[in-house]
Amino acid sequence: MTLNNKKIAAVVLALTVAMSLSACSNWSKRDRSTAIGAGAGALGGAVLTDGSTLGTLGGAAVGGIIGNQVGK
């Protein structure tokens, strides 16, 4: 399996976002869940659509909504 530049960039972006969220310790549980869900969704969307911008953004939106609901 070979990774192209778009996939590598999407993975690096998702990891950077996930690591930067660890600095937000004063966020509520719901806020953290929303942000983590958006990051995971963006990563999943990018992987499933071979780095498509629309797939990445769609995954982030869906993941954020799911994370928000789980964090209630």
Side-chain angles (χ1 to χ4, degrees), residues 1-57:
M1 178 174 133
T2 61
L3 293 174
N4 62 22
N5 288 338
K6 284 185 179 182
K7 285 184 182 180
I8 292 171
V11 169
V12 169
L13 177 64
L15 289 173
T16 302
V17 169
M19 289 188 313
S20 68
L21 290 175
S22 65
C24 302
S25 61
N26 62 340
W27 285 12
S28 70
K29 181 181 180 201
R30 191 172 197 180
D31 291 341
R32 282 192 306 270
S33 295
T34 301
I36 291 169
L43 178 61
V47 169
L48 291 174
T49 62
D50 292 327
S52 161
T53 302
L54 185 58
T56 303
L57 292 175

